Amino acid sequence: MIHGPCGTFNMNSPCMQNGKCSKGFPKLFTIATQSGQDGYPKYRRLSPDDGGQTFQLRKSGNRMVTIDNRWIVPYSPLLLRVFDCHINIELCHSVKAIQYICSYINKGSDQAAFSVESRDEIKAFQNGRYISLSEAAWRIFGFTIHERSPAIFQLSVHLKNGQRVYFTDQNARERLENVRNTTLMAFFELCHHDEFAKTLLYIEVPSYYTFTNNRFNRRKQREPIVQYPGVKKSNVLGRVYTVHPSNVECYYLRMLLHHVRGPTSFLDLKTVENVIHPTFQRACQVLGLLQDESHWNSTLEEAALFQSVSNLRELFVTMIAFCHITNLTELWENHKNNMSLDILQQERHRSGNHDLAVTPYIFNKTLILIENDLLKISGKKLSDFNMESPLQTDDNDDNFLRDRAYVAETSYDYDILSNYIQENEPKLTNDQQVVYNTILQSVLQDTGELFFLDAPGGTGKTFILNLWLAKLRVERIISLAVASSGIAETLLQNGKTAHSAFKLPLDLQTNERPVCSVKKQSSLGKLLRETRFIVWDESTMANKGGPEALDRTLRDFKNNDRPMGGVVIKGTKSD
């Protein structure tokens, strides 16, 4: 159970990397076992002066090497004797030391099974439908198949002037002049003139009132309320539509409606003890409706016990993006060590210093990973959530650039492109030269035209496409190259499939008005806004919904109602 010895004794040992032992040998002498910060103990290793043992080990060439406790691998004599093999023993007194082992054991299979077949709706219905004898008899006798009790009445929730209005070209003016009451607006009006309604919460109103002709009216049947003559109660339950926490003010408005009785307006809901507060969130805080954020700390503490570090960071990113946490900086400070463990291990391995402690550089690197994941799912940076953004490091450009989609199309080697143009422009035929100049002139003059190139295979379509792309990219004009198939996109300079480049939806055949799944303020959205030329190879193979989705997206992103938002599009067809 002796490691090596390596280092100065054997620089060619398999464990040697960058002149150091990757396993951290020889270890330091330690009088007593100590607990490490990362969950791994530093075992007692007595020096010869403190009573530790040594012996002479014969190496190749009859060299004698003195071995002491620094070179001993932790072991159990009983296990070695029973199994007669090399067995390491590590005592893990913290769950941090075994979370990676648990992750690998429980990560599941990496396999996937799928099939492609035509869908027979009749057969699928028959296979999924089974009527037992008891159900058949139940239906034959005409018994009720299902019931719903009590009844549920849905209540709308929206900010001031934020209700939905449905209109067509024919009734647009009439709908704008005569906006229909929502249940929330009708509730405010009811509380103005009905004393009993002022004692109710929003969700309690359907039990005593019916909603007809866009207003609430008292029920005429069911159980009478003795204290309030003319008021009757049913078992109908009110349910307010769910609001996601990311829709901040509407979320807190919904919370107030569940706690404030008899409000007469949106302003009334913001008023607490005769003080009008600027936001619904502030009103909730004054009323004591908001808990402290200790539950978020508990969530991350619990996740750190069994989740890998990358999963812990993903959970933190999800909290940032969707849970509207008010003090993210404090939450980060409490859990930054757990979220940086893998970065710490990488730095220890890279430096060869197995006792390296966490540093601001490691925390910054962790924040870069967190911000990159946040940009992917929300298109926002940490600074958008009142948290300081990390410093971008020059040695990690490939992994940590924030606007990777944009940077990929604006960071070409222009010397290589210029040489490519000088070499290939003279090769153009007369007909190719005419087409080549026409497209360039259209892009440079921003005419926003659409072109289609139809030519047999082998006539130089790919050649001229790549020449266009190189010429325009040298002019610092963002030009995208896409194709309808994966094979075709490999022939284009920095080519991609149309679905990958534009995030086209998968339901093109069933969606009547598809749009690209791109957020306007995202990195890809920024790229599309500044794009002036797009090559779409094999465009005739694409579903018609693809170009239509791109057309709607570009018109919106560029605020331009010309076809494709004024971007020059070049489609091709191969015979």
Side-chain angles (χ1 to χ4, degrees):
M1 300 303 297
I2 299 171
H3 178 83
C6 56
T8 57
F9 299 110
N10 182 11
M11 294 300 295
N12 296 322
S13 177
C15 64
M16 295 298 294
Q17 295 182 5
N18 299 322
K20 296 182 179 180
C21 176
S22 61
K23 308 302 180 184
F25 285 90
K27 304 290 186 179
L28 298 176
F29 286 124
T30 306
I31 297 178
T33 299
Q34 301 175 2
S35 297
Q37 292 182 353
D38 55 359
Y40 292 93
K42 297 179 180 179
Y43 295 105
R44 183 182 71 167
R45 297 175 184 272
L46 296 179
S47 66
D49 295 338
D50 294 324
Q53 300 181 20
T54 63
F55 75 97
Q56 298 294 317
L57 176 67
R58 186 183 301 277
K59 299 292 290 184
S60 59
N62 290 325
R63 289 189 305 132
M64 302 302 294
V65 178
T66 300
I67 298 298
D68 52 35
N69 285 325
R70 295 177 299 170
W71 298 98
I72 304 301
V73 179
Y75 66 92
S76 167
L78 176 62
L79 293 179
L80 297 182
R81 181 177 181 85
V82 171
F83 295 100
D84 192 24
C85 66
H86 185 103
I87 300 177
N88 290 19
I89 296 295
E90 291 280 348
L91 175 62
C92 300
H93 74 287
S94 169
V95 72
K96 292 182 179 180
I98 63 171
Q99 60 183 350
Y100 292 104
I101 299 175
C102 294
S103 297
Y104 279 109
I105 292 175
N106 300 293
K107 69 176 184 177
S109 172
D110 292 330
Q111 300 178 0
F114 67 93
S115 62
V116 179
E117 59 183 13
S118 59
R119 177 175 174 82
D120 187 335
E121 294 187 5
I122 298 177
K123 182 179 179 181
F125 177 81
Q126 291 176 338
N127 290 339
R129 184 69 176 139
Y130 170 73
I131 299 179
S132 64
L133 293 176
S134 58
E135 183 180 352
W138 198 270
R139 288 179 176 273
I140 290 173
F141 288 114
F143 297 151
T144 303
I145 300 300
H146 61 85
E147 294 180 349
R148 185 182 67 178
S149 180
I152 304 297
F153 186 82
Q154 294 286 359
L155 299 169
S156 64
V157 56
H158 57 81
L159 298 176
K160 186 177 181 179
N161 296 326
Q163 65 268 35
R164 291 185 178 181
V165 178
Y166 298 92
F167 60 91
T168 62
D169 293 339
Q170 292 73 28
N171 65 3
R173 180 177 295 277
E174 186 271 332
R175 289 295 175 87
L176 289 175
E177 293 176 351
N178 301 289
V179 179
R180 295 182 179 179
N181 269 353
T182 63
T183 56
L184 179 57
M185 297 167 64
F187 174 55
F188 290 152
E189 291 182 3
L190 179 66
C191 293
H192 268 292
H193 60 79
D194 193 313
E195 292 299 324
F196 175 71
K198 294 180 180 180
T199 66
L200 301 177
L201 295 174
Y202 187 34
I203 57 173
E204 297 172 343
V205 172
S207 298
Y208 304 92
Y209 297 83
T210 60
F211 187 72
T212 54
N213 297 324
N214 299 319
R215 59 177 297 177
F216 282 111
N217 301 289
R218 287 187 178 181
R219 293 187 177 274
K220 298 179 180 180
Q221 298 180 355
R222 299 299 177 91
E223 181 181 352
I225 305 298
V226 178
Q227 298 87 343
Y228 295 91
V231 178
K232 297 183 180 181
K233 182 181 180 181
S234 71
N235 63 347
V236 178
L237 299 180
R239 289 291 180 267
V240 184
Y241 283 105
T242 302
V243 178
H244 196 277
S246 61
N247 190 358
V248 181
E249 278 298 271
C250 194
Y251 176 79
Y252 290 111
L253 167 63
R254 183 180 186 273
M255 184 179 295
L256 289 171
L257 290 171
H258 281 76
H259 292 85
V260 178
R261 296 183 178 273
T264 57
S265 65
F266 292 101
L267 188 62
D268 192 18
L269 285 170
K270 292 183 180 180
T271 304
V272 181
E273 296 181 354
N274 297 323
V275 177
I276 301 176
H277 296 281
T279 63
F280 295 116
Q281 181 181 9
R282 179 58 184 164
C284 288
Q285 290 175 337
V286 174
L287 288 172
L289 301 180
L290 301 184
Q291 299 178 354
D292 58 20
E293 296 186 341
S294 59
H295 56 291
W296 298 123
N297 280 298
S298 301
T299 300
L300 289 174
E301 288 174 359
E302 181 180 353
L305 297 177
F306 61 90
Q307 293 284 6
S308 66
V309 179
S310 60
N311 288 342
L312 187 63
R313 284 196 296 266
E314 289 179 5
L315 175 60
F316 184 59
V317 169
T318 303
M319 289 180 177
I320 297 174
F322 304 113
C323 297
H324 195 66
I325 301 174
T326 56
N327 198 340
L328 280 172
T329 302
E330 181 180 348
L331 195 63
W332 158 253
E333 291 294 332
N334 291 340
H335 302 278
K336 62 183 181 181
N337 288 330
N338 288 333
M339 288 187 275
S340 305
L341 283 177
D342 56 344
I343 306 297
L344 176 61
Q345 293 295 339
Q346 292 173 12
E347 290 301 314
R348 286 178 174 176
H349 182 75
R350 185 179 64 83
S351 64
N353 182 4
H354 292 268
D355 296 321
L356 179 69
V358 287
T359 62
Y361 171 77
I362 292 175
F363 290 143
N364 185 75
K365 201 169 181 180
T366 304
L367 283 175
I368 292 175
L369 293 174
I370 291 173
E371 186 167 78
N372 281 343
D373 290 341
L374 184 62
L375 283 166
K376 290 179 184 178
I377 66 174
S378 69
K380 297 181 180 179
K381 304 173 185 177
L382 287 173
S383 57
D384 297 325
F385 296 89
N386 298 322
M387 186 174 174
E388 186 176 354
S389 289
L391 299 175
Q392 295 296 319
T393 55
D394 295 334
D395 57 333
N396 292 290
D397 287 345
D398 291 339
N399 296 322
F400 304 124
L401 280 171
R402 296 183 234 187
D403 298 336
R404 282 176 280 184
Y406 182 82
V407 171
E409 292 294 341
T410 56
S411 302
Y412 290 101
D413 190 324
Y414 297 108
D415 292 334
I416 294 178
L417 292 179
S418 298
N419 294 333
Y420 178 82
I421 295 169
Q422 294 176 4
E423 179 183 350
N424 290 283
E425 269 189 337
K427 299 178 182 179
L428 291 169
T429 65
N430 293 334
D431 291 339
Q432 288 177 336
Q433 189 71 53
V434 173
V435 176
Y436 179 72
N437 292 334
T438 301
I439 299 295
L440 289 181
Q441 184 178 6
S442 177
V443 178
L444 295 175
Q445 295 180 357
D446 196 23
T447 61
E449 297 177 272
L450 306 181
F451 297 90
F452 181 72
L453 179 61
D454 186 5
T459 55
K461 292 190 302 300
T462 302
F463 168 73
I464 196 173
L465 292 179
N466 284 322
L467 197 54
W468 273 322
L469 293 169
K471 184 69 174 180
L472 293 172
R473 286 166 177 168
V474 164
E475 298 294 333
R476 309 306 196 266
I477 294 175
I478 295 181
S479 305
L480 304 183
V482 302
S484 297
S485 66
I487 295 177
E489 57 97 357
T490 60
L491 303 177
L492 301 174
Q493 295 176 0
N494 199 23
K496 298 179 181 178
T497 61
H499 275 274
S500 173
F502 304 133
K503 308 301 180 186
L504 298 177
L506 299 178
D507 57 348
L508 292 175
Q509 293 183 338
T510 58
N511 193 337
E512 294 183 358
R513 294 182 59 83
V515 294
C516 300
S517 301
V518 180
K519 294 184 177 180
K520 198 169 185 176
Q521 302 305 321
S522 65
S523 174
L524 182 54
K526 177 182 178 182
L527 178 65
L528 292 178
R529 286 198 304 273
E530 299 185 16
T531 296
R532 292 174 56 186
F533 180 60
I534 296 177
V535 167
W536 194 324
D537 196 13
E538 296 182 345
S539 56
T540 54
M541 294 175 56
N543 185 289
K544 70 181 184 69
E548 291 175 357
L550 179 61
D551 176 50
R552 295 187 185 95
T553 302
L554 289 176
R555 289 179 187 233
D556 177 33
F557 282 17
K558 289 178 168 288
N559 295 322
N560 191 328
D561 204 37
R562 290 189 294 175
M564 295 294 176
V567 179
V568 176
I569 305 290
K570 182 70 184 70
T572 67
K573 173 190 174 186
S574 296
D575 293 335

